[in-house]
Amino acid sequence: MDSHNETAAPLSIVILGTCDTKLCELLYLRSQILSHVEDASITLIDVGKTPISNPAISIPQNDLLSNHASTSPSELSTMARSQVMQTMTEAATACLKHLYSKTAIHGVISIGGSGGTSLTSTAMRRALPFLLPKLIVSTMASGDTSPFVGESDITLMYSIVDIAGSNGILNGVLGNAAGGIVGMAHAFQKRQLSESQNHDDPTTQTAPRLQKKLKIGITMFGVTTPCVDTIRHHLLTTLGLDSCEIYIFHATGHGGRAMERLISSSALDAIIDLTTSEVADEIVGGVMSAGPHRLKAGLVAGIPQIISVGACDLVNFGPRNTVPQRFLDEGRKLYEHNASVTLVRTNVDECKRIGGFIAEKIREYCKRPDLVQVVLPTGGISPLSKRGE
């Protein structure tokens, strides 16, 4: 028997859903979770527009609104759909934050179509930390899922059929989802217990264990991988595995956002922002922008950082046929990185604007200039801009 399970509290799982439209499916999901863990503590939160009464609902819509919003159920019924979505999203976010701060939560799961997925994914992203299991069964899980996942670690499962009524396919999907969230929740709980026991056990408190590892973030793209690999090897060799952890962030837009979210939550001690290509996509209109606030988090936090311009000579688009016509008309150089990513070479004016963006962010937000260095390579900022390429 696993010694962790002997002292573990009951598994705690939160279910989010619109009970006015998906009560039967939510109750089936709940029953499937209990079939795996009979003593699980399940909190079913109703985020629907119309109040529903059922003994399995732990937090009815009325309570959700009265405790976590300034809107009454009667007011909600007169609102436009967009206002309802905003109100319920804010209430669900506040409720999850409250639950997470007051009780042990080991996993959160929801089911929904486009509206439900938008609502619950936003609440999960805003309220819950990285690594806490988050799973959504959705009709929207096949396709562009970036509006739902963003920079978070939400797991999406495609429902195959619409979440409307009971049938063999949907029940099978919900059964798999129940098993998935139970397994993830068990893993999360076990890791928490292990970390807690190691912290409390004086026999494990050796000097190396007490030493806090330096957490360093590095941004990387395929075209900057050789450089990042060299840096990582140097850091691990110089500092040692017991002294540092290296976190590599793929500069796809969401990678930069994820790194900056960790910086803002004090989860990184230093960064090597080698690959700032997300700035190029923001300036030129590529598909991998991290938004207009890229670089701000690290500068405001005042942590040690090195900023460079890796891959800022390239702008990212999807397959070749998605590259905007204006770049083809200008005769821009294209490079097919793979079947899904086509790179467009930046021109002189765009490079000036990219450099201006970086310089402006440093001037405006740099809290500790003594801890920031800007490195400009002279031999090319990606393999594609090296001499002879």
Side-chain angles (χ1 to χ4, degrees), residues 87-110:
T87 300
M88 298 307 293
T89 299
E90 292 173 355
T93 301
C95 183
L96 281 180
K97 285 182 177 179
H98 176 76
L99 289 174
Y100 180 74
S101 68
K102 298 296 183 182
T103 62
I105 297 177
H106 304 116
V108 180
I109 186 170
S110 73

Side-chain angles (χ1 to χ4, degrees), residues 329-340:
D329 294 341
E330 293 172 7
R332 295 287 188 100
K333 293 182 179 179
L334 305 183
Y335 175 76
E336 292 190 53
H337 187 61
N338 56 49
S340 301

